[in-house]
Amino acid sequence: MVTRRTLMALTASVAATSLFAGSALAQDKGLMTIIVNDPSNPYWFTEGEVAKATAEELGYSANVSAHKGDTNTESNLIDTAITNQAAAIILDPADAEGSIGAVRKAINADIPVILVNAEINESGLAKAQLVSNNAQGAALGAQYWAEEMGSEGSYLELFGAPSDNNAQTRSNGYETVLSQYPDLTKAAEDVANWDRTQGYNKTQSMLQANPDVDGIISGNDEMALGAIAALKEAGKLGDVVVGGFDGSPDAVDAIKAGELAYSVLQPVAVFSEEAVRQADNFIQTGETGADAEKQLFDCSLITPDNVDQYSAPFVMDGQS
């Protein structure tokens, strides 16, 4: 199993210079504030730690904090960054609409904000928005899942947090592909907010009303892993095809165990590093160096056929 220690080892590998060199330069460039959702989830933990390691490599001091999806906490963390005169803020926004005010507050304080993983519903505030290509990844996963389903049967869908545009984008991506298979029928859908426990509870409820489903497609790995737990408890896991999204360590273990059909790998380590480098470019030159504010990073598919190529959290062999 990929452990938290392994995740930390990955972040260390991001740095091209020694930690000593980074520390020596930190006082020269100031503070980089990094705000993620919830580091108890390995995806967001990786996001924060890779960003922190990259900032320290580039000569900043860096701290990582978490809003856990709460916009009031996010606003308070932005206030703290302003008080601390941060050179830049790397933010995974709590809410596509509700985070706009917090971003605007930082911009008004002349602190550049780079968004990672999730977008806000306003352009021209953040200096860059770096996210996975969720539509591409969803289509990739849905196509594989439909084939594993034999192109027929009834299924359940677990939907992520509605406040995050990624949830709807992935669901729309699934629908675009699955609508091409008339013998695939969605029996039920429920919101499980990216959470494993909610995925378990919502799957239990949907299974009670739909005991004979053939598949479950999920907006992320945590919800999918909750669904797997519910299916195990019901004695149905061997009869149901479950698909995930993220490429988390636990999902990889579930693929190896034959419990999860696949996961869509989000290159979070790649765009978290790139976000910090673009922030540094903006501080130094007034430009991020990117061609556009919104930037999409393509996803990959992890299946039983290639799962052994998975060498580190959220990175496939050969991915740069």
Side-chain angles (χ1 to χ4, degrees):
M1 177 177 175
V2 180
T3 65
R4 194 175 180 90
R5 181 174 294 179
T6 307
L7 284 163
M8 289 298 293
L10 169 66
T11 66
S13 72
V14 170
T17 58
S18 70
L19 290 177
F20 174 79
S23 298
L25 290 169
Q27 295 302 315
D28 295 335
K29 285 193 169 182
L31 172 68
M32 188 85 71
T33 292
I34 301 154
I35 304 172
V36 302
N37 191 314
D38 184 355
S40 66
N41 181 313
Y43 178 87
W44 286 311
F45 176 79
T46 299
E47 177 182 81
E49 292 304 308
V50 169
K52 183 175 186 289
T54 306
E56 290 174 346
E57 173 207 331
L58 292 173
Y60 298 89
S61 59
N63 57 36
V64 180
S65 54
H67 53 63
K68 297 188 176 180
D70 182 73
T71 54
N72 289 327
T73 301
E74 178 183 58
S75 182
N76 290 336
L77 292 172
I78 293 291
D79 287 339
T80 299
I82 293 170
T83 298
N84 291 338
Q85 298 182 322
I89 296 170
I90 308 298
L91 173 66
D92 188 335
D95 187 287
E97 193 65 37
S99 297
I100 292 173
V103 174
R104 182 178 287 113
K105 184 164 49 174
I107 297 300
N108 288 342
D110 293 324
I111 299 175
V113 178
I114 307 290
L115 302 183
V116 291
N117 182 59
E119 300 171 280
I120 57 172
N121 291 336
E122 187 167 334
S123 298
L125 286 178
K127 303 308 177 186
Q129 303 192 50
L130 289 73
V131 301
S132 295
N133 190 340
N134 285 281
Q136 172 262 347
L140 198 65
Q143 185 64 51
Y144 184 85
W145 181 85
E147 292 168 2
E148 291 296 295
M149 286 282 288
S151 305
E152 62 182 8
S154 64
Y155 68 93
L156 309 175
E157 181 179 347
L158 290 167
F159 192 93
S163 61
D164 185 343
N165 287 350
N166 291 341
Q168 190 63 60
T169 300
R170 291 176 197 172
S171 186
N172 290 346
Y174 296 156
E175 176 63 22
T176 297
V177 172
L178 300 181
S179 63
Q180 301 172 40
Y181 294 87
D183 293 328
L184 283 172
T185 305
K186 186 191 294 187
E189 172 187 319
D190 210 341
V191 172
N193 291 302
W194 308 131
D195 182 76
R196 190 180 304 198
T197 299
Q198 291 188 43
Y200 167 80
N201 292 333
K202 296 299 178 70
T203 299
Q204 271 195 325
S205 297
M206 288 191 288
L207 284 175
Q208 288 172 7
N210 306 277
D212 298 322
V213 294
D214 305 293
I216 298 175
I217 192 163
S218 175
N220 83 335
D221 287 337
E222 286 297 293
M223 298 186 297
L225 292 165
I228 286 170
L231 289 166
K232 283 182 178 178
E233 190 173 277
K236 295 178 179 293
L237 181 58
D239 302 320
V240 180
V241 179
V242 183
F245 200 115
D246 274 348
S248 75
D250 286 352
V252 167
D253 288 341
I255 293 169
K256 291 178 178 179
E259 298 173 346
L260 187 67
Y262 71 90
S263 181
V264 175
L265 174 70
Q266 292 198 80
V268 62
V270 176
F271 62 67
S272 296
E273 175 182 352
E274 179 61 20
V276 175
R277 295 193 182 280
Q278 290 189 24
D280 179 57
N281 285 341
F282 189 86
I283 291 165
Q284 304 305 319
T285 70
E287 302 287 342
T288 64
D291 293 334
E293 175 187 330
K294 293 190 177 182
Q295 303 160 45
L296 299 179
F297 291 73
D298 280 352
C299 301
S300 306
L301 197 64
I302 304 176
T303 71
D305 290 338
N306 67 4
V307 68
D308 290 336
Q309 300 172 32
Y310 189 91
S311 59
F314 307 100
V315 178
M316 294 289 288
D317 286 347
Q319 183 183 62
S320 60

